[in-house]
Amino acid sequence: MEMEKENKRETVNRLKQDLLRWQGVTLPEVNTTERVGLGPVEEAFPNAVFPTFGVHEFISMSREDSAATSGFIGGLVSRLTVGDGVCLWISTSQLLFPPSIRAFGVVPDRVVFVDIAKERDVLWATEEALKCTGLTTVVAELQEMDFVQSRRLQLAVEKSQVTGLILRCNPRVIGSTACVARWRIRPLPSLLDDGLPGVGFPRWETELLKVRNGNPGCWQLEWSQGRFVPVLPAKQSREWSTQLKRIS
Amino acid sequence: MEKRFASIWFPYLTTDRHTIRQPELRNTPFVLSTPVHGRMVIMEANAAAEVQGVSRGMVVADAKACLPDLKVADASVELAERLLKVLGLWCIRYTPVVAVDPPDGLILDISGCPHLWRSEELYLKEIVNKLRKRGFHARMAIAGTIGAAWAVARFGNHPIEDSGRETDALLSLPAAALRLEPVIVDRLYKLGLRTVGSFIHMPPSVLRRRFGEDLPLRLRQALGRDDEPILPLRPVPPYVERLPCLEPVRTATSIEIAIDKLLEALCKRLSGEGKGLRIATLKCHRVDGKTVQVGITTSRATASVPHLAKLFALKVPHIEPALGIELFVLEASKVEDSDPVQEALWGGVPGLEDTALSELIDRLKGRTGIRAIYRYLPDEHHWPERSFKEASSITEKPSTLWKSDRPRPTRLLASPEPIEVTAPIPDYPPMLFRHKGETHTIKKADGPERIEREWWMDIGEHRDYYYVEDDKGRRYWLYRSGHYGDDRPQRWFLHGFFA
């Protein structure tokens, strides 16, 4: 009986993998890729691996959101550019404060900033950068991006194996894109131990609005001690504590 | 290729010339003089005169007092110049790059030449013997830098110094070996700093303050830390390629073909010489007599045809052919030595030195609409806007550490935005603030962190920064400008957004 169940599960898993392959998703092997340290969030991706060779889209509707998203992207970049890797940060605004990303584990002098006058040139520069094999990550601050443009970026990435992170501030239209994932990062009130003054570690509501071949979801993450720490939702933690009480 | 330089010193340049013309002067004391402040001063004395105690700088009357049969002739400045030039041109048989080093020397860039005479020693002997046969006293030295070769030729004992051993060679030489102004040499001498070794290890800032910019510069040049350009007598042919067209050319494709051909020819020459171009201009001479030109720059010396062709391809739309282009001229106006790139055997993560990255940066720079490309390094200032500075090159290393001990916002506004604040005095964080019509109730706060202006750079109020979080979890960086005053309202600003 048990054997049968086991066999069935294996078959289902294999079929799932086959489906993904037939859909044109190239799956990195779990053991060979380094995790980006997103914890439970990574489970949402196909095969539970963060798609490194893809374009990720981050939507932010306010300046506060884009600040939170910059921090989150910083955390990702620090994991993606291990060692001597270089990151290219393309924008029209130059709002990012370079010394601040040190707190998210990125060495600011390993980031090359490209200041561009017009949005249209940002897309061109992003595509050129994503084709370049001398980089590990490209962050681009954009407002609008349509399906065709996003597909061009995604195609560039698949060849060069660079990670593209597109930060879209106040987009007017959020249409469908060819990106592997669409994120939304919003700040959440930080939590401190009782009675301590000051502001706690940055905490975000991390929402995966769309994932290609994966399951969207919403998580709470905190950046502390140089890594993403998943935060249990308040309700759940309360349940835990009541359960604990019941046990004891 | 390792750089090697030779310096030739002619201690009796003009007197030797007179001796060649009048062989009877060979063993008689003989000087050349010129009027200075109404007196005849000796400009140069020959070897026989020097043995008798007559030297440069003496007054002729004094010299005659001790040497009654001294022969005197008029000195001429042009003669020395002309002689050096002639000798320099003669030296071109030993190396293509020869420069005149007034008043009495020559500098030869002999990199890659001495092996034709089997060794540097034989090379040196050959030149000195040939000069001696022609009647010129000459001292020659070979070293890794111009400065060291100059010093050793005039003051040293071993005429050949290996590259990298400049420091040892200079240690025991007098301060005058550094090609300094006589005033500075005198001052060094007065202070007891008689040999180069007595001050070579002093910090450059100290030397600069007491002896001017020249001394540290000459030291760096002699030790090979600074480049020293020389002006060759026969200039190296410029890196120019020409492509005349049989028929005037009008289409973008044909212009691209022309660029490819020119680049191939130019890059072949460049890579043969171990060089790469940094700046290149393409001049298109049109049928109507006008010239259009486009230029490219690269962030590192390169001689790669496909990369340069890509850079020019971005510029092709800016070339207006009008009725047609009949002549293309490609000129590399700035050329540098290119280091052969070490191909990484083990893939690894590409770093800042990666060629693909510098090629990408060149392409981005070539496009109009791209304002600038920066890399930032930490700077030693607390003032947030000055806490980082632009790096001068893609590979410059930071000299200090990035600080992350204080909270800093991920997004910093270029100009702080004024806000209305309710805050208990004196130093408590605000309770709420209003910005763009929205009221934010502050739940948590950190601060104040006072950051003073640097009075030697600008004047104004200090800032008291607070890191605050509002009821919705949004985090801001606010500051109050200056102290609480009696009569004036406090000015509060929003300066950034935290992650």
Side-chain angles (χ1 to χ4, degrees):
Chain A
M1 196 66 187
E2 274 295 308
M3 279 287 284
E4 232 171 65
K5 243 186 200 171
E6 198 65 19
N7 281 344
K8 242 182 207 170
R9 197 178 297 137
E10 257 178 37
T11 321
V12 169
N13 272 343
R14 207 178 53 241
L15 284 172
K16 269 187 187 168
Q17 300 250 343
D18 285 348
L19 269 177
L20 286 174
R21 208 176 309 126
W22 293 329
Q23 281 169 339
V25 185
T26 43
L27 291 173
E29 280 175 43
V30 184
N31 300 330
T32 54
T33 31
E34 284 167 38
R35 297 291 183 104
V36 287
L38 278 171
V41 186
E42 281 178 57
E43 302 292 324
F45 293 105
N47 216 11
V49 172
F50 179 87
T52 322
F53 311 136
V55 177
H56 295 254
E57 185 187 7
F58 295 82
I59 306 281
S60 63
M61 302 309 281
S62 66
R63 294 196 287 183
E64 291 88 343
D65 287 1
S66 63
T69 316
S70 307
F72 185 80
I73 286 178
L76 280 182
V77 168
S78 75
R79 284 308 188 91
L80 294 168
T81 60
V82 277
D84 279 351
V86 181
C87 171
L88 203 71
W89 198 295
I90 306 168
S91 75
T92 53
S93 59
Q94 288 290 304
L95 275 175
L96 188 88
F97 185 52
S100 71
I101 49 177
R102 185 77 201 98
F104 295 97
V106 185
V107 184
D109 54 85
R110 302 208 71 85
V111 181
V112 178
F113 292 88
V114 184
D115 186 10
I116 295 183
K118 280 193 200 134
E119 280 261 335
R120 208 186 44 202
D121 295 325
V122 175
L123 272 169
W124 176 84
T126 312
E127 197 184 324
E128 285 289 310
L130 287 175
K131 281 181 199 161
C132 174
T133 48
L135 292 166
T136 48
T137 30
V138 176
V139 184
E141 292 182 28
L142 269 177
Q143 199 175 8
E144 306 300 331
M145 180 171 68
D146 64 23
F147 185 74
V148 178
Q149 288 158 345
S150 68
R151 194 162 55 185
R152 286 186 69 120
L153 300 185
Q154 180 63 30
L155 284 174
V157 159
E158 279 169 15
K159 234 178 246 169
S160 66
Q161 313 213 319
V162 177
T163 318
L165 307 169
I166 312 288
L167 171 53
R168 294 180 64 187
C169 314
N170 296 320
R172 265 171 290 167
V173 190
I174 310 179
S176 58
T177 57
C179 300
V180 290
R182 176 180 289 164
W183 301 76
R184 182 166 180 187
I185 317 293
R186 277 178 295 188
L188 279 180
S190 61
L191 210 66
L192 282 166
D193 290 340
D194 292 330
L196 280 178
V199 185
F201 293 118
R203 185 176 278 206
W204 306 299
E205 185 177 75
T206 313
E207 212 174 332
L208 257 176
L209 301 169
K210 276 185 179 179
V211 194
R212 209 200 293 162
N213 304 311
N215 311 310
C218 185
W219 298 265
Q220 290 193 8
L221 294 178
E222 192 174 77
W223 181 264
S224 66
Q225 278 143 28
R227 61 198 183 93
F228 295 106
V229 179
V231 180
L232 295 174
K235 206 177 84 195
Q236 203 177 330
S237 59
R238 209 177 306 131
E239 273 172 13
W240 261 103
S241 54
T242 46
Q243 270 182 9
L244 280 174
K245 262 180 208 157
R246 210 177 300 147
I247 293 164
S248 58
Chain B
M1 188 167 49
E2 191 186 50
K3 284 271 177 199
R4 296 294 280 165
F5 292 95
S7 172
I8 307 178
W9 178 42
F10 302 99
Y12 310 107
L13 181 65
T14 38
T15 48
D16 280 347
R17 162 78 195 290
H18 279 89
T19 317
I20 293 167
R21 286 285 164 92
Q22 306 163 17
E24 69 274 11
L25 287 175
R26 185 171 298 275
N27 290 318
T28 42
F30 167 62
V31 293
L32 298 172
S33 67
T34 190
V36 175
H37 296 299
R39 298 181 304 174
M40 294 304 279
V41 174
I42 295 174
M43 295 313 286
E44 203 169 307
N46 72 351
E50 279 200 345
V51 169
Q52 307 273 354
V54 175
S55 66
R56 187 177 299 199
M58 275 172 86
V59 181
V60 173
D62 296 349
K64 277 213 162 156
C66 53
L67 263 182
D69 55 345
L70 186 71
K71 290 238 161 94
V72 184
D74 286 339
S76 127
V77 183
E78 295 95 64
L79 178 67
E81 278 174 19
R82 227 169 44 232
L83 271 174
L84 276 181
K85 199 170 170 193
V86 170
L87 287 167
L89 289 174
W90 175 82
C91 279
I92 283 179
R93 69 195 61 190
Y94 297 104
T95 169
V97 187
V98 178
V100 169
D101 175 28
D104 52 4
L106 291 174
I107 301 283
L108 279 63
D109 181 350
I110 60 163
S111 316
C113 298
H115 76 272
L116 300 171
W117 280 262
R118 289 204 300 270
S119 73
E120 286 185 345
E121 209 166 309
L122 294 173
Y123 180 76
L124 186 141
K125 267 187 192 156
E126 157 92 11
I127 298 180
V128 173
N129 286 342
K130 280 265 166 73
L131 284 169
R132 196 160 289 158
K133 259 182 211 160
R134 294 187 65 179
F136 286 101
H137 291 84
R139 275 178 64 112
M140 180 170 163
I142 296 176
T145 61
I146 296 175
W150 195 96
V152 175
R154 281 154 181 83
F155 299 96
N157 296 324
H158 307 288
I160 295 174
E161 286 295 341
D162 293 336
S163 292
R165 292 190 16 94
E166 287 85 20
T167 320
D168 300 339
L170 289 173
L171 280 179
S172 58
L173 302 185
L178 284 177
R179 295 178 286 170
L180 298 166
E181 302 275 323
V183 188
I184 297 174
V185 176
D186 282 352
R187 200 180 302 160
L188 283 165
Y189 201 77
K190 252 183 221 163
L191 291 170
L193 304 170
R194 297 181 185 186
T195 59
V196 178
S198 56
F199 58 86
I200 197 166
H201 295 300
M202 289 185 185
S205 54
V206 172
L207 293 176
R208 187 178 303 120
R209 200 162 70 224
R210 288 179 176 74
F211 305 105
E213 192 60 63
D214 232 23
L215 179 55
L217 176 76
R218 288 300 192 190
L219 260 179
R220 284 202 305 275
Q221 285 178 341
L223 298 179
R225 288 177 200 149
D226 260 17
D227 268 348
E228 188 175 347
I230 55 173
L231 191 71
L233 268 178
R234 191 164 294 168
V236 183
Y239 295 91
V240 178
E241 291 292 334
R242 296 161 64 87
L243 183 73
C245 308
L246 277 179
E247 290 281 319
V249 152
R250 298 190 55 184
T251 59
T253 333
S254 44
I255 294 176
E256 275 168 19
I257 293 171
I259 291 171
D260 272 351
K261 280 196 169 173
L262 287 170
L263 280 175
E264 262 167 38
L266 186 69
C267 289
K268 199 175 166 198
R269 181 176 162 206
L270 284 171
S271 52
E273 292 176 17
K275 298 201 184 279
L277 70 81
R278 292 289 311 274
I279 299 173
T281 16
L282 177 73
K283 284 186 186 143
C284 309
H285 296 267
R286 296 199 315 214
V287 177
D288 58 1
K290 287 192 180 136
T291 318
V292 261
Q293 69 172 53
V294 290
I296 55 157
T297 53
T298 63
S299 52
R300 137 189 336 204
T302 172
S304 140
V305 179
H307 172 50
L308 293 170
K310 252 186 213 167
L311 294 184
F312 270 116
L314 292 170
K315 302 287 181 183
V316 169
H318 301 283
I319 300 174
E320 198 192 331
L323 288 170
I325 298 166
E326 51 183 2
L327 173 67
F328 291 95
V329 178
L330 178 68
E331 188 184 348
S333 38
K334 189 175 173 193
V335 171
E336 279 180 4
D337 291 345
S338 72
D339 311 316
V341 178
Q342 172 87 43
E343 292 293 336
L345 277 179
W346 298 273
V349 187
L352 284 166
E353 299 79 21
D354 195 65
T355 342
L357 176 65
S358 57
E359 289 186 358
L360 170 74
I361 289 174
D362 291 343
R363 243 175 298 144
L364 293 179
K365 271 186 187 157
R367 170 102 170 189
T368 46
I370 296 205
R371 272 192 230 130
I373 296 172
Y374 304 108
R375 235 182 101 235
Y376 295 113
L377 296 179
D379 207 356
E380 299 244 327
H381 295 286
H382 289 291
W383 199 252
E385 287 93 334
R386 280 198 289 265
S387 59
F388 57 93
K389 61 180 177 196
E390 271 173 43
S392 60
S393 75
I394 189 82
T395 45
E396 195 187 344
K397 295 266 184 306
S399 49
T400 52
L401 291 173
W402 288 98
K403 287 196 194 73
S404 56
D405 51 338
R406 294 272 169 192
R408 287 288 177 266
T410 48
R411 301 238 147 191
L412 191 79
L413 295 170
S415 50
E417 292 171 6
I419 48 174
E420 289 170 48
V421 163
T422 311
I425 49 173
D427 265 338
Y428 291 99
M431 296 191 297
L432 53 90
F433 73 93
R434 214 168 289 123
H435 177 241
K436 290 196 171 167
E438 196 185 346
T439 309
H440 302 263
T441 317
I442 289 165
K443 290 285 175 196
K444 300 190 188 77
D446 236 338
E449 179 192 350
R450 174 163 297 180
I451 302 183
E452 292 279 358
R453 278 178 199 269
E454 288 140 309
W455 54 262
W456 58 95
M457 297 179 100
D458 61 355
I459 44 165
E461 304 275 22
H462 64 248
R463 293 169 175 178
D464 281 337
Y465 277 101
Y466 293 92
Y467 172 18
V468 301
E469 182 182 291
D470 75 355
D471 47 347
K472 288 185 184 136
R474 296 172 289 191
R475 290 172 275 270
Y476 302 93
W477 212 28
L478 314 178
Y479 74 85
R480 190 190 62 239
S481 187
H483 292 284
Y484 283 104
D486 303 324
D487 42 355
R488 61 207 167 98
Q490 289 89 55
R491 292 184 304 139
W492 284 80
F493 295 91
L494 169 66
H495 201 185
F497 303 93
F498 278 93

